[in-house]
Amino acid sequence: MRIVIAGGHGQIALRLERLLAGRGDEVAGIIRRPGQAGALLAAGAEPVVCDLETASVEDVARHLKGADAVVFAAGAGPGSGAQRKQTVDHAAAVLFADAAEKAGVPRYLIVSSMGADPNAPEGADPVFTAYLRAKGAADEDVRSRSRLDWTVLRPGRLTDDPGTGRVALAERTGRGDVTRDDVAATLAALLDEPRTAGRTLELIGGTEPVTDAVRAMATA
């Protein structure tokens, strides 16, 4: 497959790029800055410089032509304010979906967050509330699109521990941690399983091998 990943320099994206390139897929990662290209090349991915906060749908669609699937793994990141949660975590995800439709790419995976909700209640951290609302609004937009075979993946609290290859994947898992390695492995397995289209799935560490967990969701 040819797969294009938004947020190609992110921690999950780089792991996913290495997995996909290692198994023989053609992978491109969209990045904001040319200086990030080296990390993508080292992961086996083609770097594509395109700022999703300023690009047009037509600009992005040109980069998606010929892709079999796209993955939105971009995020404003820690230290960013509420405004960038809106422009990246929400607006860029919507732009990427618009571009996928325009380019005729059927498969769209989006990395969301457990607790994402456009109506998330105010919490102690207003920026985190803005993040959950932005992610939730992006999820709702993507799920409204009949022209995309979308899957929304909502991981729990992310860690940098080594992956175990074992997860819990379900519409509701309850709170928990999950390694970035295992999130990337789950995304790779979801790309292989078109029957998971139309599902919103939570992901935490667990006991089931990743491929078995994805297969179970595909047939549930």
Side-chain angles (χ1 to χ4, degrees):
M1 291 190 291
R2 176 170 172 80
I3 300 149
V4 181
I5 302 171
H9 191 254
Q11 295 186 67
I12 290 172
L14 286 170
R15 288 167 166 84
L16 178 58
E17 287 155 5
R18 284 191 289 270
L19 287 175
L20 297 177
R23 72 185 197 181
D25 288 323
E26 182 182 344
V27 191
I30 293 180
I31 53 178
R32 292 179 61 211
R33 296 186 293 273
Q36 298 170 328
L40 273 73
L41 292 169
E46 169 197 350
V48 176
V49 179
C50 179
D51 187 345
L52 296 178
E53 288 182 271
T54 59
S56 69
V57 172
E58 291 73 17
D59 290 337
V60 180
R62 280 195 292 271
H63 298 306
L64 304 188
K65 285 290 186 183
D68 299 292
V70 297
V71 180
F72 186 84
S80 59
Q83 180 59 34
R84 290 206 70 224
K85 306 305 184 191
Q86 179 61 32
T87 58
V88 179
D89 293 287
H90 175 219
V94 171
L95 173 75
F96 203 57
D98 288 340
E101 289 183 336
K102 189 172 185 65
V105 181
R107 191 78 166 103
Y108 186 107
L109 270 61
I110 181 169
V111 182
S112 183
S113 174
M114 193 171 291
D117 183 344
N119 300 306
E122 291 288 351
D125 183 346
V127 175
F128 186 64
T129 300
Y131 169 75
L132 292 178
R133 289 175 178 176
K135 282 291 192 187
D139 293 351
E140 282 201 350
D141 179 275
V142 169
R143 291 185 299 198
S144 72
R145 296 173 185 257
S146 60
R147 293 169 60 191
L148 293 179
D149 297 330
W150 54 264
T151 302
V152 176
L153 184 65
R154 292 179 165 177
R157 192 182 75 87
L158 299 170
T159 77
D160 289 324
D161 296 331
T164 66
R166 294 179 178 272
V167 298
L169 181 69
E171 290 183 354
R172 293 286 184 272
T173 60
R175 298 281 178 175
D177 294 350
V178 63
T179 72
R180 288 179 171 87
D181 286 344
D182 289 332
V183 175
T186 302
L187 289 167
L190 288 169
L191 287 166
D192 288 338
E193 185 45 270
R195 292 177 297 174
T196 57
R199 305 293 298 275
T200 300
L201 301 171
E202 294 182 347
L203 176 72
I204 59 174
T207 60
E208 195 167 15
V210 167
T211 52
D212 291 350
V214 169
R215 189 178 303 114
M217 288 297 97
T219 57

